[in-house]
Amino acid sequence: MSRLIVSAFLTFSMASSAAVASPPVEWHQCVKTMTYDLFYGSHKIGFFERKLSWENNQQVDIRSRSKLSALVVKTNFEQQTRLVWSEMKNSFITQSFNRSISGLIDGRTRGQFNQDGTRSDIVNDGEKLSFNSGDLPLLDVEAVASQMRLNLIQGKKTFDFKMQESDDVSHYYFSVAGEETLNTNYGKVKTIRVEQIKKPDREVNLWFAPELDYQLVRGTYKRKILDLKAVLRNKREVCPQSYFTHNLSEMTAKSSAIAP
């Protein structure tokens, strides 16, 4: 888990056997970029950026990167991930990822996953590893983040994931703790707070804002001497004309329906 400390804010549903339709296409037409400021205690130590690019409603490429600087220690993190939507698993499934970390912790990890997420083949600093799961799909950090957001959109209150790390698989459990209003860079925003459970050695809280596309707006991670926080600095979207045409038609129809 140490190599994913920068992504801890994004990783913290039981996969249903019933097949459901893929997420509505209007959710996934825009290229979205979220940038977070990272803090250790009250000290800003860097940033984390996550960019999602959909090729269609079934596949998304995600590029995440961060730079950390604390005292004389500097760390750079980059990852490229490809996710697909699985109707069979009712979940986003990792297809592949390529992760590189330099600085305090150097390392390179590549992962390939089979079609239903039951097997992963990992190359971690040259060492080849394989993992299997008979129940939940094996997801990388980006698939966990995407699936958690979708679970909240669907109104789920508890969920768990098997997350593929660099050299191991960890089982994480989460629960919706309630709603809170936060002061953010976007003003006062109503959020859904999610907390990690069944891990007494740490305290992880994540706040997602429905009015900001259900994106993560704040995350905290406390464990032993670690006291980390991520705060959404800005959120950018680049959408095709078809997106605006679809939503304009929908808004016009709704307005006509309620017009006197």
Side-chain angles (χ1 to χ4, degrees), residues 169-202:
V169 172
S170 297
H171 200 161
Y172 293 115
Y173 298 81
F174 301 90
S175 176
V176 172
E179 298 182 355
E180 296 182 11
T181 299
L182 300 182
N183 289 316
T184 73
N185 291 326
Y186 293 85
K188 287 190 175 181
V189 175
K190 292 183 179 180
T191 66
I192 301 170
R193 181 167 70 88
V194 176
E195 62 181 10
Q196 186 180 16
I197 57 177
K198 300 187 179 183
K199 291 287 186 180
D201 64 336
R202 71 199 64 176

Side-chain angles (χ1 to χ4, degrees), residues 20 33 36-37 46 60 67-68 97 105 110 123 200-201 203 208 225 244 250:
V20 299
T33 304
Y36 298 83
D37 289 324
V60 59
K67 290 187 178 181
L68 301 178
F97 73 84
I105 301 175
R110 301 192 311 274
V123 179
D201 64 336
E203 181 181 336
F208 296 83
I225 65 171
F244 297 103
E250 185 178 81

Side-chain angles (χ1 to χ4, degrees), residues 4-20:
L4 289 177
I5 195 68
V6 173
S7 300
F9 307 110
L10 301 177
T11 62
F12 299 118
S13 98
M14 301 298 292
S16 171
S17 59
V20 299

Side-chain angles (χ1 to χ4, degrees), residues 3-248:
R3 292 193 175 187
L4 289 177
I5 195 68
V6 173
S7 300
F9 307 110
L10 301 177
T11 62
F12 299 118
S13 98
M14 301 298 292
S16 171
S17 59
V20 299
S22 59
V25 66
E26 59 267 24
W27 294 356
H28 302 306
Q29 294 185 32
C30 305
V31 175
K32 301 178 182 180
T33 304
M34 280 72 66
T35 304
Y36 298 83
D37 289 324
L38 301 178
F39 297 85
Y40 183 91
S42 60
H43 302 285
K44 183 178 177 181
I45 59 173
F47 75 91
F48 181 91
E49 186 174 84
R50 187 169 183 252
K51 181 178 180 180
L52 298 87
S53 304
W54 284 84
E55 293 187 8
N56 48 54
N57 197 38
Q58 302 289 329
Q59 179 176 293
V60 59
D61 289 320
I62 302 176
R63 180 180 179 182
S64 54
R65 65 189 184 99
S66 70
K67 290 187 178 181
L68 301 178
S69 180
L71 299 177
V72 297
V73 177
K74 295 184 179 180
T75 301
N76 294 327
F77 168 97
E78 291 191 9
Q79 177 165 318
Q80 292 181 323
T81 301
R82 171 158 290 186
L83 307 182
V84 295
W85 173 258
S86 170
E87 292 189 357
M88 180 175 64
K89 292 291 186 178
N90 186 22
S91 173
F92 290 103
I93 299 292
T94 306
Q95 193 171 56
S96 64
F97 73 84
N98 192 331
R99 178 185 306 138
S100 175
I101 302 176
S102 61
L104 177 62
I105 301 175
D106 289 318
R108 182 176 294 275
T109 306
R110 301 192 311 274
Q112 295 286 336
F113 297 73
N114 68 350
Q115 187 174 7
D116 61 2
T118 58
R119 177 185 172 88
S120 62
D121 293 305
I122 308 297
V123 179
N124 181 44
D125 292 335
E127 180 183 7
K128 295 182 179 180
L129 304 166
S130 294
F131 301 89
N132 295 279
S133 175
D135 49 5
L136 298 175
L138 299 171
L139 307 179
D140 86 309
V141 59
E142 293 292 358
V144 169
S146 297
Q147 187 61 31
M148 182 179 292
R149 173 177 172 269
L150 178 58
N151 286 349
L152 293 175
I153 291 173
Q154 295 175 338
K156 296 182 180 181
K157 302 299 183 182
T158 60
F159 26 87
D160 64 300
F161 309 98
K162 283 188 175 179
M163 192 177 79
Q164 178 66 62
E165 302 186 35
S166 296
D167 56 3
D168 198 3
V169 172
S170 297
H171 200 161
Y172 293 115
Y173 298 81
F174 301 90
S175 176
V176 172
E179 298 182 355
E180 296 182 11
T181 299
L182 300 182
N183 289 316
T184 73
N185 291 326
Y186 293 85
K188 287 190 175 181
V189 175
K190 292 183 179 180
T191 66
I192 301 170
R193 181 167 70 88
V194 176
E195 62 181 10
Q196 186 180 16
I197 57 177
K198 300 187 179 183
K199 291 287 186 180
D201 64 336
R202 71 199 64 176
E203 181 181 336
V204 177
N205 287 284
L206 305 168
W207 288 263
F208 296 83
E211 62 188 270
L212 295 177
D213 196 31
Y214 281 84
Q215 297 296 343
L216 180 75
V217 295
R218 182 180 299 175
T220 59
Y221 181 98
K222 296 181 180 180
R223 184 181 185 186
K224 297 181 179 179
I225 65 171
L226 290 176
D227 183 4
L228 303 175
K229 180 170 66 175
V231 177
L232 180 65
R233 183 202 310 164
N234 57 58
K235 172 179 175 289
R236 303 187 301 277
E237 294 186 359
V238 178
C239 302
Q241 185 61 41
S242 59
Y243 173 85
F244 297 103
T245 301
H246 171 85
N247 283 278
L248 180 61

